[in-house]
Amino acid sequence: IRGNDAKTPYLVGTTVTNQPLADGTTFNVPRGVTVMIDAGAVFKLRSAIIDVGSSQSLATSSRAEAALQVLGVPGNAVTFTSYNDDSIGGDSDGAVSLPAGSQWGGIVFRRDSDAASKRAFVNTVQHGELRFGGGQVRVDSQVQAFAPIQIEGARPTIAFNSITDNTGAAITATPASFDDSNGRSGPEVRGNRLLRH
């Protein structure tokens, strides 16, 4: 997924009247696919998460071996923010609503995401800006609370991100995320900034 100089945002989730946004109601990385998001891309979300791997309640199909690489660079981050945030990507919601924490969920790395061999660690969020996340989102007909970066048994690299004005913890991880097999003990987390304006 490419960024562009105009910062035209991708819009994911639903409006306050439960209508789908321009790029769909969900962002679920398909089974066996690695999604790469280039520097400069902007995502505005409302009542949605970015889901990598199979959710617990997903009974009919697997999204195993899905992976996500957020590839921002210094001075040109990938931005994930609220649909109501007019400070980047223009006025997408056409309303006077102000952005606030919990207006979207987060990026969720599930246990069966990443490389099939479990010897390579593909999932990455680097030089991202995550704003106004950490909310409750309906996933597979169940309302669940999410952190801006939520790790459920996976071991991604989370590096040099700015996590701002979110609700609750900035990053959460389940105990299974701290496996020490294949030469890596848990997620690699370094250089992140947690801010509240």
Side-chain angles (χ1 to χ4, degrees):
I1 298 173
R2 296 180 183 255
N4 61 50
D5 293 333
K7 303 285 187 197
T8 301
Y10 296 94
L11 305 176
V12 179
T14 57
T15 67
V16 292
T17 58
N18 210 32
Q19 298 302 305
L21 296 183
D23 295 297
T25 59
T26 61
F27 186 146
N28 298 329
V29 179
R31 179 185 178 96
V33 171
T34 298
V35 170
M36 291 180 277
I37 303 176
D38 287 345
V42 176
F43 287 81
K44 291 187 174 186
L45 302 100
R46 184 184 175 282
S47 298
I49 61 171
I50 296 175
D51 213 348
V52 189
S54 305
S55 64
Q56 297 276 340
S57 56
L58 191 63
T60 55
S61 61
S62 167
R63 293 194 296 264
E65 298 163 28
L68 176 70
Q69 295 186 320
V70 175
L71 303 173
V73 296
N76 196 14
V78 176
T79 302
F80 301 90
T81 189
S82 165
Y83 178 53
N84 296 338
D85 186 355
D86 298 341
S87 70
I88 189 167
D91 183 1
S92 302
D93 63 351
V96 205
S97 305
L98 296 175
S102 80
Q103 292 179 336
W104 65 286
I107 300 172
V108 184
F109 294 103
R110 309 283 188 174
R111 183 178 189 86
D112 63 354
S113 69
D114 222 324
S117 68
K118 298 301 180 193
R119 296 182 184 279
F121 299 93
V122 178
N123 286 330
T124 303
V125 182
Q126 67 180 25
H127 293 287
E129 288 188 14
L130 293 90
R131 310 175 188 170
F132 308 111
Q136 291 190 338
V137 174
R138 186 175 298 279
V139 176
D140 302 328
S141 302
Q142 298 180 2
V143 175
Q144 301 172 50
F146 293 96
I149 297 177
Q150 185 154 321
I151 305 167
E152 299 181 351
R155 289 184 280 172
T157 297
I158 310 295
F160 307 111
N161 299 289
S162 174
I163 306 173
T164 308
D165 290 324
N166 298 280
T167 298
I171 302 171
T172 63
T174 60
S177 303
F178 296 92
D179 185 6
D180 61 359
S181 63
N182 298 325
R184 183 163 177 168
S185 181
E188 182 177 346
V189 179
R190 59 193 162 91
N192 299 287
R193 295 184 309 148
L194 312 181
L195 304 169
R196 186 173 297 279
H197 291 132

